[in-house]
């Protein structure tokens, strides 16, 4: 994992978000093991207590499971996993809409713009 | 043992300097033992001194140069009394910070440094007493036999020269000299610690202490006129024990409560 | 726990530490932040009894004595060892005095820091001297590690290594208290930031809390405190 951190937001939230992103992109799947708290702290150069907090929150949200003396794994619960994806998308869309709110676009205008951009972004990604 | 470890480090730090000093000092003494016979012969040829007398090694010991070779290490050791402390504050990387925060009583640092100085002084005296006979042999080998009055007893040689100051004749004497030296070094150490604890004010305090001790010394010399020598002996012993005790107690207090590094 | 109560130090009329009270806990990395002359280094030295001060300083409830130094070690800004020593000699020296000396950590950290045992200190750069300095501090087995400007004036590779070290198992369960003015590098590493100004503690934050409650970075807070 490699994250560049924003120093104004809690680092533990950024770690959680990053794990969610990896799940949403399919880079992490149900049952995959994730790095230990220690490994993650050292590789990202962040405070181990912060990583601990992120893992604790993810455990509470049942996103990851940790059994004694074993590496933590991503949950196999598909409902939770697809929820992660939806939640992230919803967040992004929400953020996007808040940003363009001052432009006062109508729904139709917005949708056609989205369609246009969608296909061009698609093409760009395929070229990569 | 913690003390030995610190002592080892002290010697480890000065080993090359010490070796160099030993080579220079004793090299110079051998050199003098070697060239003095030649000069003696020349003086005889020039009729500056009598050709009908014989000479021995004490002529080398009597020369100013030889005195010099002994004075140099003596002065160096005295200067080293200050250097052995200041080096640890002012050298590259403040070693004093490590020393003061080691899990040992801080006075052990003091004792290790004190022992280092004493051992270096003893080392020079021991080496000298070992090398003196060899210096005499060198002298004898370089001087034509007709001018040589033969090997003298080393002890006699020492007693007849200024070297007497550095040697002792019996155990009591030895203990006496030893105690006085240790007290003197300890007092100088305390002076260093006073300066380290109070800086400029400390320098003034040290100056006053030196004046007081000097007055005490004068008083003692005056007193020696009106007391028997064994009475003086007891008096001086008492004063030395008191001075040493005060020096150690004050040093201990300064080291544990007032040191900065 | 290291506990300070009303600690004050004067140089003549100037107070370099003015009524400082705070505690440092095991398992936390605390950073003392402040401009030059704010009293950070003096505070570390006062805790180590490397400078006299008034007030009460206790470590695990007891006053600092020679025994305390089995649990508390100082890593000053420059390695405090004679320069004629080799790294090996330094290790032996520390091993001799510290009962809890961690030989395993020492060997692993030699590797981690790319240090060669037989090298003499005299030949090492500032960065490498700091590596030795930290190695000795950590391998001493002391619970409390007080470091003065470990990140200043050294090369970037060494700084990276040090950052890695601070997040590693070697400092786990230790209490770390260090001074710095290189904030950017340690923002995500430390637990707690203590700001000092003119010999006083002006604010004291857990950095995650600061970000969570005020959406402020350490740098934002620093501007607030000092400008």
């Amino acid at each position: 994992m490699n994250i560049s951190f924003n120093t104004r937001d809690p680092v533990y939230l950024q770690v959680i978000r990053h794990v969610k992103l990896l799940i949403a992109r399919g880079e992490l799947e149900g049952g995959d093991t994730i790095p230990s708290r220690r490994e993650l702290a050292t590789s990202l150069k962040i405070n181990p207590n912060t990583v601990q907090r992120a893992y604790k929150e993810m455990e509470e949200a049942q996103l990851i499971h940790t059994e004694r003396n074993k590496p933590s794994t991503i949950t196999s619960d598909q409902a939770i996993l697809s929820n992660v994806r939806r939640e992230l998308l919803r967040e992004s869309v929400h953020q996007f809409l808040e940003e363009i709110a001052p432009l006062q676009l109508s729904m139709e205008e917005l949708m056609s713009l989205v369609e246009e951009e969608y296909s061009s972004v698609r093409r760009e990604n395929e070229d990569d | 043992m913690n003390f030995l470890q610190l002592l080892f480090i002290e010697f480890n730090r000065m080993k090359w300097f010490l070796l160099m000093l030993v080579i220079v000092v004793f090299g110079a003494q051998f050199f003098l033992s070697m060239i003095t016979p030649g000069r003696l012969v020349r003086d005889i040829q020039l009729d500056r001194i009598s050709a009908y007398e014989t000479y021995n090694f004490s002529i080398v010991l009597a020369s100013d140069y030889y005195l010099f070779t002994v004075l140099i290490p003596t002065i160096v050791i005295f200067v080293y009394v200050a250097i052995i402390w200041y080096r640890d504050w002012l050298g590259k990387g403040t070693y004093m910070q490590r020393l003061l925060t080691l899990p040992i009583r801080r006075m052990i640092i003091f004792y290790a440094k004190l022992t280092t100085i004493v051992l270096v002084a003893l080392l020079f005296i021991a080496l000298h007493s070992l090398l003196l006979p060899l210096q005499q042999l060198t002298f004898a080998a370089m001087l034509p036999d007709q001018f040589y009055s033969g090997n003298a007893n080393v002890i006699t040689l020492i007693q007849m020269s200024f070297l007497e100051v550095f040697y002792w004749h019996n155990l009591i004497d030895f203990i006496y000299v030893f105690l006085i030296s240790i007290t003197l070094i300890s007092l100088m150490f305390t002076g260093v610690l006073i300066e380290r604890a109070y800086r400029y004010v400390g320098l003034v305090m040290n100056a006053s202490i030196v004046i007081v001790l000097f007055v005490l010394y004068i008083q003692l010399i005056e007193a020696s006129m009106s007391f028997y020598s064994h009475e003086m002996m007891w008096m001086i012993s008492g004063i030395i024990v008191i001075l040493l005790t005060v020096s150690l107690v004050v040093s201990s207090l300064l080291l544990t409560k007032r040191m900065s590094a | 726990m290291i506990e300070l109560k009303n600690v004050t130090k004067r140089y003549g009329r100037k107070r370099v530490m003015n009524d400082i009270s705070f505690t440092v806990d095991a398992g936390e990395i605390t950073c003392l932040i402040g401009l030059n002359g704010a009293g950070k280094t003096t505070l570390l030295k006062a805790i180590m009894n490397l400078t006299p001060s008034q007030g009460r300083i206790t470590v695990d409830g007891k006053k600092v004595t020679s025994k305390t130094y089995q649990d508390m070690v100082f890593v000053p800004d420059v390695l405090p060892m004679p320069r004629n020593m080799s790294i090996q000699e330094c290790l032996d020296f520390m091993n001799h005095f510290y009962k809890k000396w961690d030989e395993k950590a020492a060997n692993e950290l030699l590797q981690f820091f790319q240090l060669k045992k037989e090298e003499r200190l005299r030949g090492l750069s500032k960065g490498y001297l700091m590596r030795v300095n930290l190695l000795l501090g950590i391998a001493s087995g002391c619970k409390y590690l007080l470091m003065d400007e470990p990140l200043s004036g050294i090369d970037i590779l060494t700084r990276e290594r040090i950052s890695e070290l601070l997040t590693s198992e070697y400092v786990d369960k230790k209490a770390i208290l260090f001074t710095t003015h290189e904030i950017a590098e340690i923002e995500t590493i430390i637990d707690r930031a203590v700001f000092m100004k003119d010999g006083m503690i002006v604010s004291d934050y857990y950095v995650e809390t600061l970000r969570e409650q005020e959406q402020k970075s350490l740098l934002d807070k620093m501007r607030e405190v000092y400008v």
Side-chain angles (χ1 to χ4, degrees):
Chain A
M1 277 192 239
N2 200 355
I3 316 177
S4 56
F5 289 103
N6 163 0
T7 55
R8 290 196 172 98
D9 292 319
V11 172
Y12 84 96
L13 287 180
Q14 297 183 63
V15 171
I16 295 174
R17 193 182 156 79
H18 187 75
V19 172
K20 285 181 176 172
L21 258 171
L22 291 179
I23 292 172
R25 285 198 216 132
E27 286 175 35
L28 278 177
E29 284 172 8
D32 282 357
T33 60
I34 56 171
S36 73
R37 290 150 174 78
R38 175 66 55 202
E39 282 163 15
L40 196 67
T42 306
S43 67
L44 297 177
K45 295 203 192 71
I46 57 175
N47 189 294
N49 294 333
T50 306
V51 180
Q52 169 62 25
R53 186 164 173 202
Y55 277 37
K56 192 164 156 270
E57 298 261 335
M58 290 195 285
E59 271 162 10
E60 277 167 12
Q62 296 191 315
L63 194 60
I64 61 169
H65 289 300
T66 313
E67 275 175 56
R68 270 184 167 277
N69 301 323
K70 278 189 184 163
S72 300
T73 53
I74 302 287
T75 183
S76 305
D77 187 332
Q78 285 305 320
I80 292 175
L81 290 178
S82 52
N83 200 29
V84 162
R85 194 178 147 82
R86 209 170 316 123
E87 197 188 311
L88 273 180
L89 277 172
R90 201 181 289 273
E91 250 177 58
S92 297
V93 171
H94 185 86
Q95 211 179 339
F96 167 66
L97 289 178
E98 271 196 342
E99 254 174 62
I100 61 164
L103 303 178
Q104 297 180 325
L105 284 167
S106 73
M107 190 67 177
E108 289 76 26
E109 273 180 292
L110 180 61
M111 288 317 283
S112 70
L113 268 172
V114 167
E115 258 170 46
E116 256 174 54
E117 284 302 309
Y118 182 80
S119 44
S120 82
V121 167
R122 257 274 150 92
R123 236 178 289 121
E124 274 170 28
N125 280 354
E126 269 163 20
D127 290 348
D128 288 347
Chain B
M1 217 177 110
N2 295 332
F3 168 77
L4 288 180
Q5 180 73 21
L6 289 184
L7 191 64
F8 167 75
I9 296 280
E10 288 295 345
F11 271 93
N12 192 34
R13 290 194 79 177
M14 65 184 300
K15 61 186 175 204
W16 297 117
F17 176 70
L18 198 59
L19 187 68
M20 205 182 70
L21 192 63
V22 164
I23 289 171
V24 166
V25 167
F26 293 106
Q29 290 183 356
F30 272 103
F31 182 67
L32 282 175
S33 311
M34 230 182 313
I35 62 156
T36 309
R39 296 172 70 176
L40 212 55
V41 170
R42 201 183 60 212
D43 284 353
I44 290 168
Q45 284 161 352
L46 292 172
D47 272 338
R48 285 201 193 128
I49 54 173
S50 167
Y52 304 104
E53 275 181 53
T54 53
Y55 303 90
N56 74 1
F57 188 64
S58 59
I59 200 162
V60 177
L61 294 184
S63 79
D64 287 345
Y65 297 112
Y66 203 90
L67 177 66
F68 229 63
T69 64
V70 177
L71 273 183
I72 286 173
T74 311
I75 292 168
V76 166
I77 288 172
F78 267 99
V79 173
Y80 202 71
V81 167
I83 292 178
I84 202 171
W85 285 99
Y86 282 106
R87 184 195 54 189
D88 294 346
W89 270 287
L90 308 174
K92 274 186 185 168
T94 314
Y95 178 47
M96 191 49 78
Q97 291 171 333
R98 173 114 300 143
L99 282 180
L100 292 178
T101 58
L102 285 176
I104 55 169
R105 282 185 305 118
R106 287 181 176 179
M107 271 309 267
I108 293 178
I109 304 165
F110 186 97
Y111 296 133
K113 290 190 187 295
L114 185 73
T115 312
T116 306
I117 302 282
V118 171
L119 284 182
V120 170
L122 287 176
L123 174 82
F124 268 95
I125 294 173
L127 269 178
H128 185 251
S129 63
L130 283 176
L131 294 174
L132 195 60
L134 291 178
Q135 291 172 4
Q136 181 170 231
L137 286 179
T138 314
F139 176 80
M142 302 296 288
L143 189 69
D145 284 346
Q146 71 263 34
F147 300 125
Y148 191 50
S149 61
N151 288 344
N153 184 319
V154 173
I155 294 173
T156 318
L157 280 174
I158 288 169
Q159 280 176 344
M160 282 167 58
S161 72
F162 71 95
L163 286 172
E164 203 196 12
V165 186
F166 295 92
Y167 288 83
W168 45 84
H169 316 297
N170 55 45
L171 190 67
I172 300 285
D173 247 24
F174 172 70
I175 294 172
Y176 215 60
V177 171
F178 197 71
L179 239 143
I180 291 179
S181 321
I182 284 184
T183 308
L184 197 63
I185 301 166
S186 178
L187 282 171
M188 289 168 78
F189 277 10
T190 309
V192 171
L193 295 179
I194 289 175
E195 187 281 326
R196 286 284 88 193
Y198 301 103
R199 305 293 158 108
Y200 291 116
V201 181
L203 286 177
V204 177
M205 287 160 84
N206 280 334
S208 343
I209 291 167
V210 169
I211 291 170
V212 169
L213 288 179
F214 186 70
V215 169
L216 185 73
Y217 179 69
I218 301 283
Q219 293 291 318
L220 271 177
I221 287 178
E222 274 177 24
S224 67
M225 313 277 179
S226 43
F227 286 93
Y228 291 110
S229 67
H230 69 274
E231 288 175 325
M232 281 305 295
M233 192 99 159
W234 282 114
M235 209 145 67
I236 294 172
S237 308
I239 290 172
I240 284 175
V241 169
I242 291 170
L243 281 180
L244 184 58
T245 313
V246 170
S247 165
L248 292 179
V249 169
V250 170
S251 299
S252 171
L253 281 174
L254 289 173
L255 270 175
T256 47
K257 302 226 186 283
R258 306 274 340 156
M259 271 310 107
S260 293
Chain C
M1 187 164 74
I2 299 177
E3 199 166 7
L4 283 81
K5 261 191 196 138
N6 313 110
V7 175
T8 297
K9 180 181 175 66
R10 293 185 189 84
Y11 272 132
R13 228 176 262 161
K14 196 184 168 228
R15 286 174 187 227
V16 281
M17 285 190 293
N18 194 355
D19 203 27
I20 287 178
S21 300
F22 86 115
T23 59
V24 179
D25 272 319
E28 278 185 10
I29 304 178
T30 306
C31 183
L32 282 172
I33 296 168
L35 307 176
N36 284 334
K40 299 168 289 176
T41 304
T42 311
L43 182 56
L44 290 189
K45 286 186 176 176
I47 296 173
M48 293 303 300
N49 191 17
L50 279 176
T51 195
S53 63
Q54 284 125 34
R56 191 174 163 76
I57 298 172
T58 55
V59 175
D60 292 332
K62 293 184 203 111
K63 279 197 156 187
V64 175
T65 64
S66 57
K67 284 196 194 83
T68 316
Y69 295 129
Q70 285 289 1
D71 295 320
M72 183 168 77
V73 68
F74 187 42
V75 179
D77 54 348
V78 183
L79 174 66
M81 295 301 275
R83 293 299 185 262
N84 66 329
M85 287 174 94
S86 67
I87 294 176
Q88 180 66 59
E89 284 170 331
C90 291
L91 296 175
D92 293 342
F93 177 87
M94 297 294 278
N95 188 2
H96 179 92
F97 289 102
Y98 290 90
K99 284 190 199 136
K100 285 172 274 182
W101 175 256
D102 189 343
E103 188 71 32
K104 185 171 160 278
N107 285 323
E108 288 168 4
L109 286 175
L110 276 174
Q111 285 245 304
F112 176 77
F113 277 138
Q114 294 164 302
L115 295 165
K116 291 189 206 81
K117 281 183 184 179
E118 60 282 358
E119 254 175 316
R120 302 243 147 224
L121 302 184
R122 191 167 282 127
L124 296 180
S125 71
K126 226 181 152 213
Y128 275 78
L129 286 174
M130 183 48 84
R131 294 174 185 214
V132 179
N133 202 353
L134 277 169
L135 188 159
L136 297 183
I138 284 174
S140 71
C142 291
K143 184 163 64 166
Y144 301 105
L145 210 63
L146 281 71
M147 310 192 286
D148 190 18
E149 297 287 351
L151 296 164
S152 292
I154 54 174
D155 59 285
I156 181 119
L157 288 175
T158 303
R159 293 212 299 273
E160 284 233 309
R161 291 261 105 162
I162 294 174
S163 301
E164 269 172 56
L165 184 69
L166 287 176
T167 58
S168 72
E169 58 190 335
Y170 296 111
V171 301
D172 227 9
K173 299 191 182 77
K174 290 186 198 292
I176 303 218
L177 177 63
F178 73 103
T179 66
T180 193
H181 38 253
E182 314 263 338
I183 288 190
E185 249 161 305
I186 47 96
E187 273 213 83
T188 58
I189 290 174
I190 61 174
D191 286 280
R192 180 179 163 207
V194 175
F195 291 90
M196 285 187 75
K197 191 181 182 183
D198 303 329
M200 282 187 285
I201 289 179
V202 284
S203 54
D204 184 344
Y205 291 96
Y206 281 89
V207 284
E208 277 284 86
T209 315
L210 183 68
R211 290 187 279 254
E212 190 152 32
Q213 292 177 352
E214 303 186 33
Q215 281 79 49
K216 277 177 188 154
S217 72
L218 217 47
L219 215 58
D220 296 333
K221 201 72 206 174
M222 190 172 173
R223 288 197 193 98
E224 238 177 71
V225 170
Y226 296 106
V227 180

